[in-house]
Short mmCIF file of all heavy atoms in Angstrom, two decimals:
data_model
loop_
_atom_site.label_atom_id
_atom_site.label_comp_id
_atom_site.label_asym_id
_atom_site.label_seq_id
_atom_site.Cartn_x
_atom_site.Cartn_y
_atom_site.Cartn_z
N MET A 1 -144.74 12.98 15.87
CA MET A 1 -144.90 12.90 17.33
C MET A 1 -146.25 12.27 17.64
O MET A 1 -147.29 12.89 17.49
CB MET A 1 -144.82 14.31 17.91
CG MET A 1 -144.46 14.35 19.38
SD MET A 1 -144.32 16.05 19.96
CE MET A 1 -142.79 16.56 19.17
N SER A 2 -146.27 10.98 17.98
CA SER A 2 -147.54 10.31 18.26
C SER A 2 -147.90 10.50 19.73
O SER A 2 -147.05 10.75 20.57
CB SER A 2 -147.45 8.83 17.93
OG SER A 2 -146.52 8.20 18.78
N PHE A 3 -149.19 10.34 20.01
CA PHE A 3 -149.64 10.56 21.37
C PHE A 3 -150.81 9.64 21.65
O PHE A 3 -151.71 9.50 20.84
CB PHE A 3 -150.06 12.02 21.54
CG PHE A 3 -149.45 12.64 22.76
CD1 PHE A 3 -148.07 12.63 22.95
CD2 PHE A 3 -150.24 13.23 23.72
CE1 PHE A 3 -147.51 13.21 24.07
CE2 PHE A 3 -149.68 13.81 24.85
CZ PHE A 3 -148.31 13.80 25.02
N ASP A 4 -150.81 9.02 22.80
CA ASP A 4 -151.91 8.13 23.14
C ASP A 4 -152.32 8.40 24.59
O ASP A 4 -151.58 9.00 25.36
CB ASP A 4 -151.51 6.67 22.95
CG ASP A 4 -150.29 6.33 23.78
OD1 ASP A 4 -150.40 6.34 25.01
OD2 ASP A 4 -149.21 6.09 23.20
N PRO A 5 -153.51 7.93 24.96
CA PRO A 5 -154.00 8.22 26.32
C PRO A 5 -153.08 7.71 27.42
O PRO A 5 -152.96 8.33 28.48
CB PRO A 5 -155.36 7.52 26.35
CG PRO A 5 -155.79 7.47 24.92
CD PRO A 5 -154.53 7.29 24.12
N GLN A 6 -152.42 6.59 27.18
CA GLN A 6 -151.53 6.05 28.20
C GLN A 6 -150.36 7.00 28.46
O GLN A 6 -149.93 7.19 29.60
CB GLN A 6 -150.99 4.67 27.80
CG GLN A 6 -152.03 3.54 27.85
CD GLN A 6 -153.09 3.65 26.76
OE1 GLN A 6 -152.81 4.10 25.65
NE2 GLN A 6 -154.32 3.26 27.08
N SER A 7 -149.85 7.60 27.37
CA SER A 7 -148.75 8.56 27.52
C SER A 7 -149.21 9.77 28.31
O SER A 7 -148.47 10.30 29.15
CB SER A 7 -148.25 9.01 26.15
OG SER A 7 -147.87 7.91 25.38
N VAL A 8 -150.43 10.22 28.02
CA VAL A 8 -150.98 11.38 28.73
C VAL A 8 -151.10 11.06 30.22
O VAL A 8 -150.66 11.84 31.08
CB VAL A 8 -152.36 11.77 28.15
CG1 VAL A 8 -153.03 12.83 29.01
CG2 VAL A 8 -152.21 12.26 26.72
N ALA A 9 -151.70 9.92 30.51
CA ALA A 9 -151.90 9.54 31.92
C ALA A 9 -150.56 9.38 32.63
O ALA A 9 -150.41 9.77 33.79
CB ALA A 9 -152.72 8.26 31.99
N ALA A 10 -149.58 8.80 31.94
CA ALA A 10 -148.27 8.58 32.55
C ALA A 10 -147.58 9.91 32.84
O ALA A 10 -146.95 10.08 33.89
CB ALA A 10 -147.41 7.71 31.63
N ALA A 11 -147.70 10.86 31.89
CA ALA A 11 -147.07 12.17 32.10
C ALA A 11 -147.69 12.88 33.30
O ALA A 11 -146.99 13.46 34.14
CB ALA A 11 -147.23 13.03 30.84
N ALA A 12 -149.02 12.81 33.40
CA ALA A 12 -149.70 13.45 34.53
C ALA A 12 -149.34 12.76 35.84
O ALA A 12 -149.08 13.41 36.85
CB ALA A 12 -151.20 13.42 34.30
N LYS A 13 -149.28 11.43 35.79
CA LYS A 13 -148.97 10.67 37.01
C LYS A 13 -147.57 11.02 37.52
O LYS A 13 -147.33 11.13 38.73
CB LYS A 13 -149.08 9.17 36.73
CG LYS A 13 -148.97 8.29 37.97
CD LYS A 13 -149.15 6.83 37.62
CE LYS A 13 -149.00 5.98 38.87
NZ LYS A 13 -149.04 4.54 38.56
N ALA A 14 -146.64 11.19 36.58
CA ALA A 14 -145.28 11.54 36.97
C ALA A 14 -145.23 12.89 37.67
O ALA A 14 -144.31 13.18 38.45
CB ALA A 14 -144.38 11.56 35.73
N LEU A 15 -146.24 13.73 37.41
CA LEU A 15 -146.32 15.04 38.06
C LEU A 15 -147.24 15.00 39.28
O LEU A 15 -147.59 16.04 39.84
CB LEU A 15 -146.82 16.09 37.06
CG LEU A 15 -145.85 16.41 35.92
CD1 LEU A 15 -146.55 17.21 34.83
CD2 LEU A 15 -144.64 17.17 36.43
N GLY A 16 -147.65 13.81 39.67
CA GLY A 16 -148.44 13.66 40.89
C GLY A 16 -149.93 13.82 40.69
O GLY A 16 -150.66 14.05 41.66
N ILE A 17 -150.40 13.74 39.45
CA ILE A 17 -151.82 13.97 39.17
C ILE A 17 -152.41 12.75 38.48
O ILE A 17 -151.92 12.32 37.43
CB ILE A 17 -151.99 15.23 38.31
CG1 ILE A 17 -151.49 16.45 39.11
CG2 ILE A 17 -153.45 15.41 37.89
CD1 ILE A 17 -151.19 17.64 38.28
N ALA A 18 -153.47 12.22 39.06
CA ALA A 18 -154.12 11.05 38.49
C ALA A 18 -155.25 11.49 37.56
O ALA A 18 -156.11 12.27 37.95
CB ALA A 18 -154.68 10.19 39.61
N LEU A 19 -155.20 11.03 36.33
CA LEU A 19 -156.27 11.33 35.37
C LEU A 19 -157.12 10.09 35.17
O LEU A 19 -156.61 8.96 35.16
CB LEU A 19 -155.69 11.75 34.02
CG LEU A 19 -154.87 13.02 33.95
CD1 LEU A 19 -154.52 13.34 32.50
CD2 LEU A 19 -155.59 14.20 34.59
N SER A 20 -158.41 10.29 35.00
CA SER A 20 -159.28 9.18 34.66
C SER A 20 -159.03 8.78 33.21
O SER A 20 -158.42 9.55 32.44
CB SER A 20 -160.75 9.59 34.84
OG SER A 20 -161.07 10.58 33.88
N GLN A 21 -159.52 7.61 32.85
CA GLN A 21 -159.36 7.16 31.46
C GLN A 21 -160.03 8.16 30.51
O GLN A 21 -159.48 8.49 29.45
CB GLN A 21 -160.00 5.78 31.30
CG GLN A 21 -159.77 5.15 29.93
CD GLN A 21 -158.31 4.84 29.66
OE1 GLN A 21 -157.62 4.30 30.52
NE2 GLN A 21 -157.82 5.21 28.48
N GLU A 22 -161.18 8.65 30.91
CA GLU A 22 -161.92 9.61 30.08
C GLU A 22 -161.11 10.90 29.89
O GLU A 22 -161.03 11.44 28.78
CB GLU A 22 -163.27 9.92 30.74
CG GLU A 22 -164.18 10.78 29.91
CD GLU A 22 -165.46 11.16 30.66
OE1 GLU A 22 -165.52 10.96 31.88
OE2 GLU A 22 -166.38 11.67 30.00
N GLN A 23 -160.51 11.39 30.97
CA GLN A 23 -159.69 12.60 30.88
C GLN A 23 -158.47 12.37 29.98
O GLN A 23 -158.12 13.23 29.17
CB GLN A 23 -159.23 13.05 32.27
CG GLN A 23 -160.33 13.63 33.14
CD GLN A 23 -159.87 13.88 34.57
OE1 GLN A 23 -159.12 13.09 35.14
NE2 GLN A 23 -160.33 14.98 35.15
N ALA A 24 -157.85 11.25 30.14
CA ALA A 24 -156.67 10.95 29.33
C ALA A 24 -157.03 10.82 27.86
O ALA A 24 -156.30 11.30 26.97
CB ALA A 24 -156.01 9.67 29.84
N ASP A 25 -158.16 10.18 27.60
CA ASP A 25 -158.62 10.04 26.21
C ASP A 25 -158.86 11.42 25.58
O ASP A 25 -158.43 11.69 24.45
CB ASP A 25 -159.94 9.24 26.16
CG ASP A 25 -159.73 7.77 26.42
OD1 ASP A 25 -158.57 7.31 26.37
OD2 ASP A 25 -160.73 7.07 26.70
N ALA A 26 -159.56 12.28 26.34
CA ALA A 26 -159.88 13.61 25.81
C ALA A 26 -158.62 14.43 25.58
O ALA A 26 -158.49 15.13 24.57
CB ALA A 26 -160.82 14.32 26.77
N ALA A 27 -157.69 14.34 26.51
CA ALA A 27 -156.44 15.12 26.38
C ALA A 27 -155.64 14.65 25.17
O ALA A 27 -155.13 15.47 24.38
CB ALA A 27 -155.62 15.00 27.65
N ALA A 28 -155.54 13.34 25.01
CA ALA A 28 -154.78 12.81 23.88
C ALA A 28 -155.40 13.23 22.56
O ALA A 28 -154.70 13.60 21.60
CB ALA A 28 -154.71 11.28 23.97
N LYS A 29 -156.72 13.21 22.53
CA LYS A 29 -157.43 13.57 21.30
C LYS A 29 -157.20 15.05 20.96
O LYS A 29 -156.94 15.42 19.81
CB LYS A 29 -158.93 13.29 21.46
CG LYS A 29 -159.72 13.41 20.19
CD LYS A 29 -161.18 13.01 20.42
CE LYS A 29 -161.97 13.21 19.14
NZ LYS A 29 -163.40 12.96 19.35
N SER A 30 -157.28 15.91 21.97
CA SER A 30 -157.15 17.34 21.69
C SER A 30 -155.72 17.75 21.38
O SER A 30 -155.49 18.78 20.75
CB SER A 30 -157.72 18.16 22.85
OG SER A 30 -156.92 18.02 23.99
N LEU A 31 -154.76 16.96 21.83
CA LEU A 31 -153.36 17.31 21.56
C LEU A 31 -152.85 16.76 20.24
O LEU A 31 -151.82 17.23 19.73
CB LEU A 31 -152.46 16.78 22.69
CG LEU A 31 -152.50 17.55 24.01
CD1 LEU A 31 -151.65 16.84 25.05
CD2 LEU A 31 -152.02 18.99 23.81
N ALA A 32 -153.55 15.79 19.68
CA ALA A 32 -153.01 15.10 18.51
C ALA A 32 -152.71 16.05 17.35
O ALA A 32 -151.59 16.04 16.80
CB ALA A 32 -153.98 14.00 18.08
N ALA A 33 -153.69 16.86 16.97
CA ALA A 33 -153.50 17.73 15.80
C ALA A 33 -152.43 18.80 16.03
O ALA A 33 -151.52 18.96 15.20
CB ALA A 33 -154.84 18.36 15.40
N PRO A 34 -152.48 19.54 17.15
CA PRO A 34 -151.41 20.55 17.34
C PRO A 34 -150.03 19.94 17.48
O PRO A 34 -149.03 20.52 17.00
CB PRO A 34 -151.84 21.31 18.60
CG PRO A 34 -152.93 20.53 19.23
CD PRO A 34 -153.54 19.69 18.17
N LEU A 35 -149.95 18.76 18.10
CA LEU A 35 -148.63 18.13 18.20
C LEU A 35 -148.12 17.71 16.83
O LEU A 35 -146.92 17.85 16.53
CB LEU A 35 -148.69 16.91 19.14
CG LEU A 35 -148.61 17.24 20.63
CD1 LEU A 35 -148.91 16.01 21.47
CD2 LEU A 35 -147.23 17.78 20.99
N ALA A 36 -149.02 17.23 15.99
CA ALA A 36 -148.60 16.87 14.63
C ALA A 36 -148.11 18.10 13.88
O ALA A 36 -147.13 18.04 13.12
CB ALA A 36 -149.77 16.22 13.88
N LYS A 37 -148.77 19.21 14.12
CA LYS A 37 -148.36 20.45 13.46
C LYS A 37 -146.98 20.89 13.97
O LYS A 37 -146.11 21.31 13.19
CB LYS A 37 -149.41 21.54 13.77
CG LYS A 37 -149.44 22.67 12.80
CD LYS A 37 -150.10 22.28 11.50
CE LYS A 37 -150.27 23.45 10.58
NZ LYS A 37 -150.71 23.06 9.24
N ILE A 38 -146.79 20.78 15.28
CA ILE A 38 -145.49 21.14 15.85
C ILE A 38 -144.40 20.23 15.25
O ILE A 38 -143.30 20.68 14.92
CB ILE A 38 -145.51 20.97 17.39
CG1 ILE A 38 -146.48 21.97 18.03
CG2 ILE A 38 -144.11 21.12 17.99
CD1 ILE A 38 -146.04 23.38 18.07
N ALA A 39 -144.73 18.96 15.12
CA ALA A 39 -143.74 18.01 14.58
C ALA A 39 -143.35 18.35 13.15
O ALA A 39 -142.28 17.97 12.68
CB ALA A 39 -144.30 16.60 14.67
N SER A 40 -144.24 19.08 12.47
CA SER A 40 -143.93 19.42 11.07
C SER A 40 -143.09 20.70 10.97
O SER A 40 -142.62 21.05 9.89
CB SER A 40 -145.24 19.60 10.29
OG SER A 40 -145.89 20.80 10.68
N PHE A 41 -142.92 21.40 12.09
CA PHE A 41 -142.11 22.63 12.06
C PHE A 41 -140.64 22.30 11.85
O PHE A 41 -140.15 21.29 12.33
CB PHE A 41 -142.21 23.39 13.39
CG PHE A 41 -143.57 23.96 13.71
CD1 PHE A 41 -143.83 24.44 14.99
CD2 PHE A 41 -144.57 24.02 12.76
CE1 PHE A 41 -145.07 24.97 15.31
CE2 PHE A 41 -145.81 24.55 13.08
CZ PHE A 41 -146.06 25.02 14.36
N ARG A 42 -139.97 23.19 11.19
CA ARG A 42 -138.51 23.11 11.16
C ARG A 42 -137.99 24.52 11.42
O ARG A 42 -138.02 25.38 10.54
CB ARG A 42 -138.02 22.57 9.83
CG ARG A 42 -136.52 22.34 9.86
CD ARG A 42 -136.01 21.62 8.62
NE ARG A 42 -134.57 21.44 8.71
CZ ARG A 42 -134.00 20.39 9.31
NH1 ARG A 42 -134.74 19.46 9.84
NH2 ARG A 42 -132.68 20.30 9.36
N VAL A 43 -137.57 24.75 12.63
CA VAL A 43 -137.11 26.07 13.03
C VAL A 43 -135.59 26.11 12.96
O VAL A 43 -134.92 25.12 13.29
CB VAL A 43 -137.58 26.40 14.47
CG1 VAL A 43 -137.19 27.83 14.84
CG2 VAL A 43 -139.08 26.21 14.58
N ASP A 44 -135.04 27.23 12.51
CA ASP A 44 -133.59 27.35 12.42
C ASP A 44 -132.92 27.01 13.74
O ASP A 44 -133.39 27.38 14.81
CB ASP A 44 -133.21 28.79 12.02
CG ASP A 44 -133.44 29.03 10.52
OD1 ASP A 44 -133.73 28.04 9.81
OD2 ASP A 44 -133.35 30.18 10.11
N PHE A 45 -131.80 26.33 13.63
CA PHE A 45 -131.05 25.84 14.78
C PHE A 45 -130.78 26.93 15.82
O PHE A 45 -130.85 26.71 17.03
CB PHE A 45 -129.73 25.24 14.27
CG PHE A 45 -128.83 24.71 15.33
CD1 PHE A 45 -129.05 23.45 15.89
CD2 PHE A 45 -127.73 25.44 15.76
CE1 PHE A 45 -128.20 22.96 16.86
CE2 PHE A 45 -126.89 24.95 16.74
CZ PHE A 45 -127.12 23.70 17.29
N ASP A 46 -130.50 28.15 15.37
CA ASP A 46 -130.05 29.20 16.28
C ASP A 46 -131.18 29.99 16.95
O ASP A 46 -130.91 30.87 17.78
CB ASP A 46 -129.14 30.19 15.54
CG ASP A 46 -127.82 29.54 15.15
OD1 ASP A 46 -127.23 28.87 16.01
OD2 ASP A 46 -127.41 29.68 14.00
N VAL A 47 -132.43 29.71 16.59
CA VAL A 47 -133.54 30.50 17.16
C VAL A 47 -133.81 30.07 18.60
O VAL A 47 -133.95 28.88 18.89
CB VAL A 47 -134.82 30.32 16.31
CG1 VAL A 47 -136.01 31.01 16.99
CG2 VAL A 47 -134.62 30.89 14.93
N GLU A 48 -133.89 31.05 19.48
CA GLU A 48 -134.20 30.79 20.89
C GLU A 48 -135.59 31.34 21.22
O GLU A 48 -136.02 32.32 20.60
CB GLU A 48 -133.18 31.49 21.81
CG GLU A 48 -131.77 30.98 21.65
CD GLU A 48 -130.80 31.74 22.55
OE1 GLU A 48 -131.28 32.43 23.48
OE2 GLU A 48 -129.60 31.66 22.31
N PRO A 49 -136.28 30.75 22.22
CA PRO A 49 -137.59 31.31 22.61
C PRO A 49 -137.51 32.79 22.95
O PRO A 49 -138.44 33.55 22.65
CB PRO A 49 -137.95 30.47 23.84
CG PRO A 49 -137.25 29.18 23.65
CD PRO A 49 -135.96 29.52 22.97
N ALA A 50 -136.43 33.19 23.58
CA ALA A 50 -136.32 34.59 24.03
C ALA A 50 -136.23 35.58 22.87
O ALA A 50 -136.33 36.79 23.09
CB ALA A 50 -135.11 34.74 24.94
N HIS A 51 -136.05 35.09 21.67
CA HIS A 51 -136.01 36.00 20.51
C HIS A 51 -137.38 36.62 20.22
O HIS A 51 -137.50 37.53 19.41
CB HIS A 51 -135.51 35.25 19.27
CG HIS A 51 -134.06 34.89 19.35
ND1 HIS A 51 -133.45 34.00 18.50
CD2 HIS A 51 -133.09 35.29 20.20
CE1 HIS A 51 -132.17 33.87 18.81
NE2 HIS A 51 -131.93 34.64 19.85
N TYR A 52 -138.39 36.10 20.92
CA TYR A 52 -139.77 36.60 20.75
C TYR A 52 -139.85 38.11 20.98
O TYR A 52 -140.30 38.87 20.12
CB TYR A 52 -140.66 35.84 21.72
CG TYR A 52 -142.09 36.30 21.86
CD1 TYR A 52 -142.89 36.50 20.75
CD2 TYR A 52 -142.66 36.45 23.12
CE1 TYR A 52 -144.22 36.87 20.89
CE2 TYR A 52 -143.98 36.82 23.27
CZ TYR A 52 -144.76 37.03 22.15
OH TYR A 52 -146.07 37.39 22.31
N ALA A 53 -139.41 38.54 22.16
CA ALA A 53 -139.51 39.97 22.49
C ALA A 53 -138.68 40.80 21.54
O ALA A 53 -139.09 41.90 21.12
CB ALA A 53 -139.09 40.20 23.94
N ALA A 54 -137.52 40.29 21.19
CA ALA A 54 -136.65 41.04 20.26
C ALA A 54 -137.33 41.15 18.89
O ALA A 54 -137.23 42.20 18.22
CB ALA A 54 -135.31 40.33 20.13
N ALA A 55 -138.02 40.09 18.48
CA ALA A 55 -138.70 40.12 17.18
C ALA A 55 -139.79 41.18 17.18
O ALA A 55 -140.01 41.86 16.17
CB ALA A 55 -139.29 38.74 16.87
#
Side-chain angles (χ1 to χ4, degrees):
Chain A
M1 201 177 288
S2 65
F3 229 56
D4 57 67
Q6 288 71 33
S7 304
V8 172
K13 189 177 178 185
L15 292 167
I17 297 161
L19 296 186
S20 67
Q21 186 65 46
E22 186 185 13
Q23 288 172 321
D25 287 346
K29 190 175 177 186
S30 68
L31 284 175
L35 278 170
K37 202 75 174 171
I38 295 286
S40 72
F41 293 168
R42 186 172 180 87
V43 185
D44 283 352
F45 179 80
D46 291 314
V47 174
E48 297 178 15
H51 290 167
Y52 173 49

